[in-house]
Amino acid sequence: MSTLPPCPQCQSEYTYEDGAQLVCPECGHEWSTEAPVVAEEGPRVVKDANGNVLQDGDSVTVIKDLKIKGSSLVVKVGTKVRNIRLVDGDHDIDCKIDGIGAMGLKSEFVRKA
């Protein structure tokens, strides 16, 4: 029958060639016949502005005034944030800041305390 590899996303065996690409009709995933499939490397490493590795539960300090969108509030330089939680997405850190509430921060604007 066919010697085409299964889909790397859904493992469907019904893949087909479309020019230089392979296509899965079940999930719609497309990939190149030239590039090898690369598996994920493991957990993502989040680093602060100084290059220190951050972990859940760490305390960090804000290194730049951060304006909060949709509000007149500002997170001032030197604000200490305790018990951070690392998340995937645009903002790497979920936290609760005293006087402001729950927020998402980017790791490039904090340093490990």
Side-chain angles (χ1 to χ4, degrees):
M1 216 127 116
S2 175
T3 59
L4 297 175
C7 175
Q9 277 194 331
C10 70
Q11 303 303 319
S12 171
E13 59 188 41
Y14 302 111
T15 57
Y16 64 92
E17 286 183 285
D18 185 19
Q21 299 275 41
L22 291 174
V23 181
C24 175
E26 291 185 10
C27 70
H29 180 65
E30 296 182 11
W31 69 100
S32 173
T33 57
E34 304 295 321
V37 176
V38 178
E40 292 210 14
E41 300 148 10
R44 191 177 81 151
V45 176
V46 177
K47 296 184 178 182
D48 70 357
N50 296 334
N52 299 321
V53 177
L54 297 174
Q55 296 177 346
D56 286 340
D58 282 346
S59 294
V60 296
T61 304
V62 178
I63 63 168
K64 177 182 176 183
D65 281 347
L66 301 173
K67 295 180 183 176
I68 300 172
K69 285 188 177 182
S71 174
S72 62
L73 297 175
V74 176
V75 178
K76 296 285 189 178
V77 172
T79 301
K80 190 166 184 175
V81 181
R82 293 179 193 88
N83 200 19
I84 65 171
R85 209 167 29 105
L86 301 179
V87 294
D88 290 330
D90 186 31
H91 293 76
D92 303 322
I93 300 170
D94 272 349
C95 61
K96 190 180 284 187
I97 299 177
D98 293 337
I100 295 175
M103 289 199 70
L105 297 173
K106 291 186 178 184
S107 59
E108 63 196 66
F109 299 122
V110 299
R111 67 177 166 82
K112 196 169 186 176

